[in-house]
Structure formats: structure tokens, C-alpha cells
Amino acid sequence: GKYASEILEQNWVSAQESLRTLQESIDNVTMGTQIYQSEGAQLQARAWLMHWSLFVYFFYKDEDEFMYDGLDKLIDSWLPDMYKTHQEKEHRQWKYLRVVQSLCPHLLRYICAAVIIGSEESGKRQSGQESGHIRIKQRFKDLSRLIDNESRYYKDPITEFLQLLLSDCDFDGAHAKLRECELVIHND
């Protein structure tokens, strides 16, 4: 209730803190406790949290008024490194990806949007050993692989546009798909 209230009041900083607390409470619960009687119930809780968190991720701004911090947090939470080994796949990102794959494939559209919108600004603000361009390139590789894996189960104009552009290198097809993307983005 507190989290929903913070979202409705557009108190993004508090909502971001509540989101982090809810993620930890969902992810750190062991099976068989009174909160979640099954893995399915825990998966459902993650699904609800992911839907509510879209508001926070897309509207959250840091102190410098960069909305891209929220988008970076969405990507960091939901888009795993698709090239990791099986032992590394228990990370939180994989738990949220399982929700997208099994319950909410339509959330793939928002992962795509976050990567596209957030990439330029994220790259400009990166420092340290991993340059922004390398990070952006890796995100697009991961996204391309995810879209290819999920294309049998879910398609919309945005995911099809990215598949045409990144995987198929069909620039004419991607250009044609942009018109459909405009309609979807306008309606969202």
C-alpha cells in the first residue's frame, strides 16, 4: 500500500526506496514460509512488482534531473547478461527475466524501450574502466539475443523493429516497422 501511495503521489525517490525494499523481501524469502507457499506465488509477486515498478523506472529522476537513472535501474534489474554460464544465472536479473518469459512477455517491450531511450545518456555519463560505449554495445547484444529467444512467444512492433535492425540487419524492414512503432508508442 505504501509503495502504491508513493507512486500515486509521484514521490519517486521514496518509491525507489520502497521498490528496493520490496525486491529484497520478495527475493530473499525462502520457499515454504508463510509469505509464499510456492515458487509460483513468489513469481506472481515479482510480476505485480514489475508492473508497478514501470512507473518508478520511467519517471524516476536523480538529483541532476536525469530520467535515465531510472531506465538504467530497470535494465540492470531485468536484462541479464545473456552470455553468462548456468551457475551465474541465479542472479536477481534472471529471476525477473523468468517472470517476463513465463507470465508477462509484454514487459519485453519496456526493456526494449529502456535500452533505446537510456543508451545515449547512459553512455555519456559512464566513467571508469568500462566505457559507456562498451556497456551500450553489450546491452544491445543482450537485448538482441533476448528478443531472438522470445520471438516465438511474443512479438510487437517494437521488438520486431529491434529484431529487424539488430539480428536481421534488414534496414528497409526496420524503417517500415518504425511507423507501427510510432502508433504503439503514442498509445502507451
Side-chain angles (χ1 to χ4, degrees), residues 97-152:
L97 180 60
R98 286 186 200 115
V99 172
V100 172
Q101 291 173 323
S102 59
L103 294 176
C104 312
H106 56 278
L107 291 178
L108 182 57
R109 168 193 297 191
Y110 299 100
I111 297 171
C112 292
V115 171
I116 293 169
I117 294 168
S119 291
E120 184 177 343
E121 282 299 318
S122 176
K124 288 179 186 175
R125 297 185 304 127
Q126 293 299 316
S127 62
Q129 291 180 327
E130 182 182 25
S131 78
H133 294 295
I134 292 171
R135 186 173 183 202
I136 291 168
K137 184 178 177 181
Q138 184 62 44
R139 282 181 174 176
F140 275 105
K141 278 178 143 180
D142 292 338
L143 183 62
S144 176
R145 188 159 182 196
L146 177 59
I147 291 169
D148 287 345
N149 290 343
E150 297 303 312
S151 64
R152 293 173 290 173

Side-chain angles (χ1 to χ4, degrees), residues 20-44:
R20 192 175 15 255
T21 302
L22 287 168
Q23 281 176 328
E24 289 172 8
S25 69
I26 291 171
D27 293 342
N28 294 331
V29 167
T30 58
M31 294 304 128
T33 64
Q34 291 180 346
I35 298 175
Y36 302 109
Q37 295 299 322
S38 68
E39 192 171 329
Q42 192 175 26
L43 204 64
Q44 185 67 42

